[in-house]
Amino acid sequence: GSDCRIIHSDSTNTYLPNDYIRHICGDGQGSILLQCASAAVFMDLLTEKTIEIEKNGVQTICYGIGHYLYAARDSVFTFSPTQGKQCVYTADKRITSIMENEQGLWVATEKEVLCISTIHEHTVIDTIRHPRVCYIYNDTATHQVWLCSRTEGLVSYDGVHCATYLSHQDVRTIVRSNTGQLWAGTWSGLVQVDEQKQETIASQRVGISSDTQQLSAWASAADKQGPRWI
């Protein structure tokens, strides 16, 4: 809409450990989870009241299936305002990204990505050897999982095979538009990915300004009008 609210750490009902907001995710029902530097904070948008869930060590957050998830150091936690927080998985390395879909809980460490069964006592049901993954994207349009790596580019995984795009580039984020285009945010800017040719489409052909092309894209999101939030 046309309204914009600015919420500071010194707002009346709001406590934020700092104003350095690294990431936000929401449940679509009136609450959000914020990653404030390395802390995790839950906020009710109606009252603007907050709960500090984790004070430090938080690496990544997301909204899963019916609950929020966050990774702090080597462990993954779920959180809901009614049930509180619960540790659901502990790895033997620092966790860099998480995602939950119908297949299970996807957990990235420095060297690999694991799919953890959330039904059968959190056993590992799949492993992808891909280093330095910083973002995992659940592509509901193609039923693939996309992995963004800080050093090894972009990888799609269909449950059997992996395909590599933007090889050896620093890819931070990815999102699919409501019309099917795939957009990747890299250290050097925003690009559109041609999935059939496994290459990027020239910026001039997709209407990206030179200013946007040269900015480092850290996060992206889509709404009903497409992936217009960078």
Side-chain angles (χ1 to χ4, degrees), residues 23 60-65 67-71 76-78 88-89 95-109 113-118 128 133-140 143-147 157 174:
H23 191 56
T60 181
I61 64 175
C62 72
Y63 188 73
I65 301 176
H67 49 227
Y68 290 102
L69 294 119
Y70 68 91
V76 180
F77 297 82
T78 60
V88 294
Y89 180 73
I95 295 171
T96 57
S97 184
I98 52 176
M99 183 273 289
E100 185 181 33
N101 62 8
E102 293 77 10
Q103 294 170 276
L105 174 65
W106 296 79
V107 178
T109 65
V113 177
L114 307 174
C115 182
I116 314 298
S117 171
T118 54
I128 307 170
V133 169
C134 59
Y135 183 61
I136 308 173
Y137 178 65
N138 183 38
D139 191 347
T140 56
H143 305 289
Q144 296 182 106
V145 171
W146 294 84
L147 311 177
Y157 180 62
I174 185 172

Side-chain angles (χ1 to χ4, degrees), residues 16-37:
L16 298 178
N18 54 73
D19 281 335
Y20 178 29
I21 311 298
R22 294 184 61 187
H23 191 56
I24 301 174
C25 61
D27 63 357
Q29 299 177 22
S31 73
I32 57 174
L33 188 67
L34 302 98
Q35 183 180 349
C36 302

Side-chain angles (χ1 to χ4, degrees), residues 135-227:
Y135 183 61
I136 308 173
Y137 178 65
N138 183 38
D139 191 347
T140 56
T142 62
H143 305 289
Q144 296 182 106
V145 171
W146 294 84
L147 311 177
C148 300
S149 170
R150 298 289 299 270
T151 56
E152 300 301 318
L154 179 66
V155 165
S156 67
Y157 180 62
D158 61 7
V160 180
H161 302 104
C162 288
T164 302
Y165 306 74
L166 306 172
S167 181
H168 303 298
Q169 291 194 39
D170 184 347
V171 182
R172 309 294 182 84
T173 183
I174 185 172
V175 66
R176 186 178 294 279
S177 73
N178 55 349
T179 54
Q181 289 92 0
L182 194 68
W183 298 84
T186 72
W187 174 255
S188 56
L190 182 69
V191 296
Q192 185 177 333
V193 179
D194 186 323
E195 296 172 72
Q196 293 186 342
K197 295 181 179 179
Q198 294 183 225
E199 61 185 27
T200 59
I201 300 172
S203 301
Q204 298 88 334
R205 290 170 50 195
V206 293
I208 300 177
S209 70
S210 58
D211 291 340
T212 306
Q213 181 187 0
Q214 295 171 5
L215 293 174
S216 178
W218 285 79
S220 60
D223 61 16
K224 294 180 180 179
Q225 298 183 40

Side-chain angles (χ1 to χ4, degrees), residues 15 17 32-35 38-43 50-56 58 61 68-70 72-73 77-81 84-86:
Y15 167 76
I32 57 174
L33 188 67
L34 302 98
Q35 183 180 349
S38 61
V41 177
F42 171 83
M43 177 183 287
T50 58
I51 303 171
E52 187 177 34
I53 305 167
E54 197 77 37
K55 290 185 179 295
N56 52 60
V58 175
I61 64 175
Y68 290 102
L69 294 119
Y70 68 91
R73 292 171 286 274
F77 297 82
T78 60
F79 174 81
S80 71
K85 70 175 183 179
Q86 179 182 1

Side-chain angles (χ1 to χ4, degrees), residues 1-7 48 228-229:
S2 58
D3 294 332
C4 178
R5 284 189 295 167
I6 300 176
I7 301 171
E48 294 185 6
R228 58 184 187 143
W229 304 95

